[in-house]
Amino acid sequence: MTLVQMQPRPASASPVHRTVVGVMDAAGPQVCDDMSVEVALAVMAAAHTRRLVVCDQDGQGTGLVTQTELTAVRDSSAYTDRVRLRDILGDHGSFTSPVTTMAEAEHAMRSRRRGVLPVVDEHGRALGILALSR
């Protein structure tokens, strides 16, 4: 796996010192953690995306959910329409800063076995998504 590079990097940027801000995707849709699984899946379908950044009532990122995860929850025998995104976030609270180096971000994603990592500002607001390509 290698990191997806969304913009050309300057020739002077060393891979060790390059930060995630230059290669992250736009954050895309952000939804509140009290949203139901069904509504979140509908938002994904309408936005033509496979992931959503989940925020709390103050707009701070609390996690990230994928279409695959939400579909699995919806299709489980324990599912009810009362299940909210905050109920299923689990260990999805990993974030990174826009000044994190690429090497640090890649190490964090690999060690946590996460293919995506939300990028947040100093106030916890989502700025973008960093993704590993396969």
Side-chain angles (χ1 to χ4, degrees), residues 23-102:
V23 296
M24 67 184 184
D25 284 330
Q30 298 176 43
V31 297
C32 195
D33 62 0
D34 66 350
M35 181 176 281
S36 72
V37 170
E38 286 293 334
V39 173
L41 284 166
V43 168
M44 283 182 181
H48 304 290
T49 187
R50 298 178 55 82
R51 59 184 171 246
L52 296 171
V53 174
V54 181
C55 299
D56 64 14
Q57 300 296 333
D58 298 323
Q60 295 209 350
T62 58
L64 183 119
V65 292
T66 66
Q67 182 180 25
T68 303
E69 292 166 334
L70 293 181
T71 301
V73 168
R74 184 195 59 200
D75 294 345
S76 76
S77 61
Y79 176 74
T80 72
D81 61 356
R82 291 183 170 196
V83 176
R84 300 292 178 239
L85 296 181
R86 73 169 67 96
D87 301 329
I88 61 169
L89 281 177
D91 185 27
H92 292 84
S94 300
F95 297 92
T96 194
S97 160
V99 297
T100 302
T101 66
M102 292 298 297

